[in-house]
Amino acid sequence: MGFILRFCGPVDEQLRRVELGGSPAVQLWEYNPFLCQTSAELPPAELGGGDMEEKGNVLSELSSRKASVEVQLPENTTGAAGLPPKLRRRPQGRGARRQSGSSAPGVQSLSSPCRGSWTSESLGQSSFAPILLNNGRDIPHYESLLVVEYPSDADLDMCPVCGDTVSGYHYGLLTCESCKGFFKRTVQNNKSYTCSESQDCRIDKTQRKRCPFCRFQKCLRVGMRLEAVRADRMRGGRNRFGPMYKRHRALKQQKNALLQSHGLKAEYTPDLISPPTRTPFNFTNININTTPSDTITSDLHPQTHSGYSFYQNQPRHESPQHYHVSPLGALYSPVRAMAVIGDCSGIPGIPQAQCSGSFSAQGPALPHLLVEFLRCELDELQVQSKIIGCLEQMQGEGGWGGYGATHMYLMVDQMLFYIVEWARGSVFFKELKVSDQMKLLHHCWCELLVLDMVSRQLQHGRQGSLVLVTGQEVDLPALVSPAGPLLRTLVQKGQDLVECFRKLQVDRNEVVCFKFLILFNTDVKHVENQSFVENVKEQVHRALLEYTLCAYPQFLDKFDKLLLCWSDLCALSTLAEEYLCSKDICGEVPCNNLLNELLHAKHHSM
DNA sequence: TCCTCAGGGCCAGAA
DNA sequence: TTCTGGCCCTGAGGA
């Protein structure tokens, strides 16, 4: 079976795939002046068979499987340190501080555009500096990290927050010293700001002091990372974003070379490949790394929810407009919580004012359980990169030949691996015994897989195509025309479900709740800690109801409709599993992988 | 062993 | 008194 592949996503993502050795970018390889290498540690070949305990071991092993990708620049690459010469720090003696510090900072910056600390050599080649898109589009946090703009030469040393001179990488991206300090102080001291205007204050060099609320909001929006502020306040050393910074630099170099090879200027990037129109469905990437889940799990005490009825507990006459959920401050520092609150701006149906008002615990917020769920999410793009890298390596090893069915099964196998990884790292689930984890996963893997596919279509998909986890887009007519009736039905029902989700405006938070509802299925037999599973399920229901009522006050029966959608999803999953089983029986599914193992486990348990 | 560079601390000046 | 921002210190990681 052959597929028509198109690029999907902004051009930067495509280039990133080139950098990562992604096979879809094969046409671009000839323009790639760099040596790209991928490496991955793969699990032992023998995965199938065995009893339950052995399978537990296999899953553990799979969960620890790591794939690493790195880019090597040629020796003659300029700007190996990443920053252009202009931005390299001059060696400074200790006396330098006293000298420059003796004058007022304002006077200094006026008299010296280069701030004295920097040499004034020419910029030469451009440097990587992620900035906000300048088209008025509100970029969600995750996009601002990934959909980076390559600014014109004049913008190269501009802080993406305030436009001041960049002093280096700080907390995830190139910013000025001032915004670095501001971000650090805000996070370290748990600052809580409010905006006296409408939370859209202009932040530039001259006005950045006026509204710390909007300044911090912008810091988060452009991609400054909360987790880069050290909780232990330890000085020195390197953070764990080193590889990311390196990648950014390499990507910049690569993009320049690519553009030059096309005879294009760096500041203008025509769509080499047209990105699809994105739907309002919005996956934000929330990076919070704070409170241990113990606080949450204490809620699981049976007394807390015994006899709980979520309809009774959350009366519908209570206007969500006056909604005050459990104070996030009790679980998270206000500053870290605001990353979550602030990020709901892209969720359809939630008025901006409702999402990003005061960042104190008084304001509206996501149910705390939902915040915890969001923290468990894997980085979507990292997963994508790893899967691409892994498939690429398999291709290199002759493990598969092209984009046929085998490619699809291997990709599904990779998706399952990350589904397992997600589950094992998720709140509640990780507290279960491995045997219980296995039982739950064996029961629900296909539903999670289907949900993953459906939510991706909501986010990136368009009519008549199927967007894969790798970002590749499959033409549905080309997929369906040679297919058998089962696959045709599967595709049709899948499209129906996507449409259903779209009409319901299912957002990311609801999808995340769905994942936990699927995972904690009380119908699974012989689970040792059944009461725990039931309690979790009840809590998830409650959080989902709470969220839908708050976020979609005009849509009071959304929760009920979501549950109906869920049953459709279960039906689709059964169909998908049936299809995969039939292919497995025919011997089309590659052996010795997780997909194979899960298919067999289901059969054995029946 | 030395160098790089990103996170933290300090402190004068501004608000 | 608090906030800002420029400068220096520190130390992990790489050459």
Side-chain angles (χ1 to χ4, degrees), chain A residues 304-476:
Chain A
T304 314
H305 304 299
S306 57
Y308 167 70
S309 156
F310 38 78
Y311 284 104
Q312 288 165 4
N313 238 22
Q314 185 66 49
R316 291 189 173 198
H317 63 263
E318 184 180 317
S319 167
Q321 304 291 353
H322 304 110
Y323 180 78
H324 293 281
V325 295
S326 49
L328 281 168
L331 284 173
Y332 306 95
S333 71
V335 161
R336 291 180 193 269
M338 67 201 262
V340 177
I341 303 166
D343 256 355
C344 64
S345 58
I347 298 171
I350 306 184
Q352 178 68 22
Q354 210 177 345
C355 300
S356 53
S358 166
F359 282 145
S360 72
Q362 304 301 314
L366 299 178
H368 71 273
L369 199 58
L370 185 44
V371 175
E372 190 69 14
F373 290 167
L374 290 166
R375 287 183 56 217
C376 300
E377 288 293 282
L378 300 180
D379 184 300
E380 193 190 7
L381 220 77
Q382 267 183 18
V383 169
Q384 186 188 56
S385 302
K386 287 175 179 174
I387 291 179
I388 290 170
C390 199
L391 291 174
E392 179 63 23
Q393 187 179 22
M394 287 176 188
Q395 185 186 35
E397 291 170 352
W400 55 282
Y403 299 103
T406 311
H407 172 70
M408 298 298 279
Y409 295 131
L410 289 171
M411 193 174 61
V412 167
D413 173 56
Q414 287 293 304
M415 290 168 74
L416 287 171
F417 166 69
Y418 286 104
I419 284 172
V420 171
E421 187 170 274
W422 160 78
R424 288 171 56 91
S426 287
V427 61
F428 301 138
F429 192 78
K430 60 187 174 192
E431 290 165 38
L432 287 167
K433 284 184 176 177
V434 170
S435 55
D436 279 352
Q437 290 183 349
M438 296 296 303
K439 284 168 197 157
L440 293 175
L441 273 173
H442 282 158
H443 191 274
C444 72
W445 61 270
C446 197
E447 287 168 32
L448 290 169
L449 191 69
V450 169
L451 179 62
D452 186 74
M453 291 292 281
V454 168
S455 61
R456 185 168 299 104
Q457 308 319 307
L458 276 177
Q459 186 188 7
H460 298 297
R462 54 181 171 179
Q463 203 68 33
S465 70
L466 178 72
V467 178
L468 308 178
V469 66
T470 52
Q472 296 162 319
E473 208 174 338
V474 177
D475 204 48
L476 278 178

Side-chain angles (χ1 to χ4, degrees), chain A residues 149-170:
Chain A
E149 287 279 285
Y150 294 87
S152 63
D153 286 357
D155 295 334
L156 286 173
D157 55 352
M158 280 175 63
C159 171
V161 180
C162 69
D164 200 352
T165 310
V166 159
S167 69
Y169 281 97
H170 303 298

Side-chain angles (χ1 to χ4, degrees), chain A residues 15 49 108 138 310 436 451 569:
Chain A
L15 292 167
Q108 187 192 19
D138 189 12
F310 38 78
D436 279 352
L451 179 62
L569 189 140

Side-chain angles (χ1 to χ4, degrees), chain A residues 49-91:
Chain A
D51 59 19
M52 202 59 127
E53 198 56 43
E54 281 177 337
K55 287 180 189 306
N57 293 337
V58 168
L59 276 179
S60 307
E61 196 155 13
L62 282 166
S63 297
S64 65
R65 177 169 54 169
K66 295 279 189 291
S68 63
V69 180
E70 57 186 39
V71 175
Q72 291 185 348
L73 299 178
E75 287 177 4
N76 61 354
T77 304
T78 56
L83 288 172
K86 179 181 179 180
L87 299 181
R88 297 220 186 103
R89 198 182 278 267
R90 258 189 189 151

Side-chain angles (χ1 to χ4, degrees), chain A residues 140-155:
Chain A
H141 181 63
Y142 85 100
E143 271 192 278
S144 67
L145 288 175
L146 307 167
V147 184
V148 290
E149 287 279 285
Y150 294 87
S152 63
D153 286 357
D155 295 334

